[in-house]
């Protein structure tokens, strides 16, 4: 059985990207030529997800519009015979009824945002995708959520995507505590604990949670207790740690590169890396990058 429903929390304020995100949702920030939210939705659909739930907030209406028909635009493109572009715009609209919306009225944390989707999810396993984390699959590998759903079909356990981070970075992530005999280099790493944003000296490992999850519906009862954790927020990581007392949970090492698009530098890296993937852009960007590199190396050398 594969997850058929995905939850995408999109209520965050995007304060790290002000002033760009003053009036525009941070999920509409564009990497090359697509907004972050579109990468997440396309990844979910590619994994076989049939229902996508946006947990939104005030000022996020643009996200619903992005996935809707725009008759005036389509009419203009048809008139100008821009068939390719027209198809591209039309293919953005998911099958009617597949996109669902609910609101997180108070900013109480990621765990609370996911809990807000409980009635729409029902009682089957579901996926969670955080659009700030853009994961570009390794060449030849399927998108990350598809990798996780394929794995889930075999072993049916809750799963979180993980990657190894530097010790000094542990305070930015949920960190997995692997069981003693776990093979921490293989694809799946069984967890015996999870800690949200531990200081480097308290971190049980360097295995950090990345924003892709497959969870059992039992998590909703735990989230419903609304216990606050790191940063005074209801943390998804804490509820998963409780869930693990009754159900095994695994870290999943994905094949791909993760870009932290909630961070200005990570966002620039994503733009560069994905632009360089495209032949035409690469041809024009590489000479420019060489030039910049020469300039800045000369400026910064002693
Ligand atoms: C959230 C989660 C954290 C996870 C991270 C991945 O934190 O709470 O466990 O490691 O996403 O991006 P946030 O970045 O929203 O503070």
């Amino acid at each position: 059985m594969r997850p058929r429903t995905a939850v995408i929390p999109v209520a965050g304020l995007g304060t790290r990207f002000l002033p760009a995100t003053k009036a525009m949702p941070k999920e509409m920030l564009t990497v090359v030529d697509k907004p972050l939210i579109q990468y997440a939705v396309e990844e979910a659909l590619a994994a076989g997800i049939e229902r996508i739930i946006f947990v939104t907030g005030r000022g996020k209406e643009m996200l619903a519009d992005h996935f809707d028909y725009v008759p005036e635009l389509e009419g203009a493109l048809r008139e100008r015979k821009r068939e390719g572009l027209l198809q591209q715009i039309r293919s953005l609209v998911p099958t009617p009824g597949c996109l669902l919306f609910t609101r997180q009225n108070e900013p109480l944390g990621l765990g609370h945002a996911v809990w807000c989707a409980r009635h729409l999810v029902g009682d089957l396993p579901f996926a969670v995708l955080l659009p700030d984390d853009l994961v570009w699959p390794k060449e030849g590998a399927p998108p990350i959520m598809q990798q996780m759903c394929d794995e889930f079909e075999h072993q049916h356990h809750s799963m979180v995507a993980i990657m190894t981070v530097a010790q000094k970075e542990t305070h930015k992530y949920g960190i997995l505590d692997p069981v003693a005999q776990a093979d921490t280099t293989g694809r799946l790493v069984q967890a015996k604990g999870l800690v949200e944003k531990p200081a480097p000296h308290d971190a049980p490992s360097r295995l950090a949670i990345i924003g892709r999850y497959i969870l059992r519906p039992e998590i909703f009862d735990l989230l419903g207790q609304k216990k606050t954790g790191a940063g005074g927020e209801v943390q998804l990581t804490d509820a998963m740690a409780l869930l693990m007392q009754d159900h095994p949970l695994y870290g999943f090492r994905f094949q791909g590169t993760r870009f932290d698009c909630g961070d200005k530098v990570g966002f620039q890296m994503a733009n560069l890396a994905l632009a360089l993937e495209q032949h035409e852009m690469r041809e024009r960007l590489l000479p420019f990058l060489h030039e910049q590199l020469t300039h800045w190396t000369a400026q910064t050398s002693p």
Side-chain angles (χ1 to χ4, degrees):
M1 185 182 33
R2 293 172 78 89
R4 298 285 175 213
T5 304
V7 176
I8 306 190
V10 290
L13 293 176
T15 42
R16 285 197 282 173
F17 265 96
L18 284 169
T21 49
K22 188 170 167 234
M24 183 187 77
K26 64 171 175 163
E27 297 78 12
M28 288 302 292
L29 287 168
T30 303
V31 173
V32 186
D33 56 0
K34 280 196 282 194
L36 285 171
I37 190 66
Q38 197 179 326
Y39 286 94
V41 166
E42 286 177 354
E43 185 185 320
L45 295 175
I49 297 287
E50 291 162 359
R51 305 197 313 164
I52 299 179
I53 302 163
F54 282 2
V55 182
T56 69
R58 289 162 60 81
K60 299 280 182 164
E61 294 76 14
M62 200 188 278
L63 296 174
D65 289 343
H66 185 70
F67 294 98
D68 200 0
Y69 290 122
V70 187
E72 312 86 285
L73 176 64
E74 291 186 13
L77 291 174
R78 205 169 293 118
E79 227 165 78
R80 292 175 202 170
K81 308 220 178 314
R82 304 288 304 273
E83 282 304 320
L85 208 48
L86 180 63
Q87 283 318 316
Q88 218 179 315
I89 297 294
R90 292 217 108 202
S91 68
L92 262 177
V93 182
T95 316
C98 287
L99 213 49
L100 307 164
F101 299 86
T102 187
R103 274 202 181 202
Q104 183 188 21
N105 308 78
E106 297 171 280
L108 299 180
L110 176 61
H112 179 254
V114 171
W115 179 75
C116 289
R118 67 199 179 284
H119 293 307
L120 295 172
V121 169
D123 63 357
L124 289 172
F126 64 101
V128 177
L129 295 94
L130 308 186
D132 278 2
D133 281 331
L134 196 163
V135 189
W136 195 245
K138 196 173 157 184
E139 209 180 334
I144 172 173
M145 188 44 80
Q146 190 178 333
Q147 294 175 30
M148 290 176 74
C149 288
D150 290 349
E151 194 67 46
F152 182 82
E153 240 178 340
H154 295 301
Q155 44 91 2
H156 298 166
H157 296 313
S158 300
M159 244 189 283
V160 292
I162 51 164
M163 70 180 211
T164 304
V165 297
Q167 193 80 38
K168 63 176 191 313
E169 303 268 292
T170 58
H171 67 286
K172 295 183 183 169
Y173 299 93
I175 299 289
L176 185 137
D177 187 1
V179 299
Q181 71 278 22
D183 168 12
T184 54
T185 55
R187 206 103 197 259
L188 287 176
V189 181
Q190 189 171 359
K192 73 169 192 293
L194 296 168
V195 194
E196 181 68 7
K197 304 198 170 79
H201 56 272
D202 291 331
S205 78
R206 294 196 289 126
L207 300 174
I209 299 175
I210 297 311
R212 300 291 184 276
Y213 309 75
I214 297 180
L215 299 170
R216 301 173 61 98
E218 288 85 351
I219 193 97
F220 289 124
D221 286 340
L222 300 163
L223 289 170
Q225 296 171 9
K226 296 196 188 143
K227 285 194 189 134
T228 52
E233 296 189 335
V234 181
Q235 296 291 354
L236 184 57
T237 304
D238 296 343
M240 289 191 299
L242 289 175
L243 185 70
M244 258 169 38
Q245 294 173 358
D246 296 319
H247 305 281
L249 181 138
Y250 286 82
F252 177 79
R253 278 183 187 282
F254 52 92
Q255 293 181 290
T257 309
R258 173 261 188 175
F259 298 99
D260 178 7
C261 290
D263 168 79
K264 286 183 185 172
V265 176
F267 179 71
Q268 297 307 328
M269 288 174 172
N271 268 289
L272 259 184
L274 268 59
L276 289 170
E277 289 275 339
Q278 299 187 21
H279 179 73
E280 274 174 33
M281 288 205 199
R282 184 165 61 235
E283 298 253 292
R284 292 170 59 194
L285 272 173
L286 278 182
F288 169 76
L289 287 175
H290 279 302
E291 206 181 280
Q292 291 290 314
L293 196 62
T294 314
H295 171 76
W296 287 109
T297 313
Q299 294 278 317
T300 49
S301 59

